[in-house]
Amino acid sequence: MEITRETMLSDILENCPEAMPAFQAIGMHCMGCALASGENVEQACAAHGVDPDEFLEALKTYLESL
C-alpha cells in the first residue's frame, strides 16, 4: 500500500495494520478513535506537531524493516 499525505488513517489501519507502531511512536495513539476515520496523514501530523514528510520517510523505513 502506498501511503501519502492524503491517505486516510482509517485506510491505513484497515490495509496496513502493521504500520500502527510507527504512529504510536510519535504519539498518535488514536488510530482507532473516531477522528482517525476522518483524518488523513497530513491532518494527523499537524494535530500532533509532526512534520508529515519526515513522518512518511520514517514510516517507509519502518515498514521496509518488517
Side-chain angles (χ1 to χ4, degrees):
M1 171 181 190
E2 181 181 1
I3 301 173
T4 68
R5 288 172 165 247
E6 292 79 29
T7 305
M8 300 301 289
L9 297 184
S10 59
D11 290 339
I12 297 168
L13 190 59
E14 181 179 328
N15 296 298
C16 195
E18 64 274 16
M20 195 172 222
F23 285 88
Q24 291 171 331
I26 61 166
M28 288 187 202
H29 301 284
C30 60
M31 289 294 287
C33 77
L35 285 178
S37 65
E39 281 189 333
N40 63 31
V41 170
E42 185 169 23
Q43 292 166 327
C45 285
H48 290 272
V50 175
D51 179 276
D53 294 322
E54 289 178 14
F55 173 70
L56 287 169
E57 184 62 34
L59 178 60
K60 179 181 176 182
T61 299
Y62 171 75
L63 291 173
E64 288 174 353
S65 75
L66 298 179

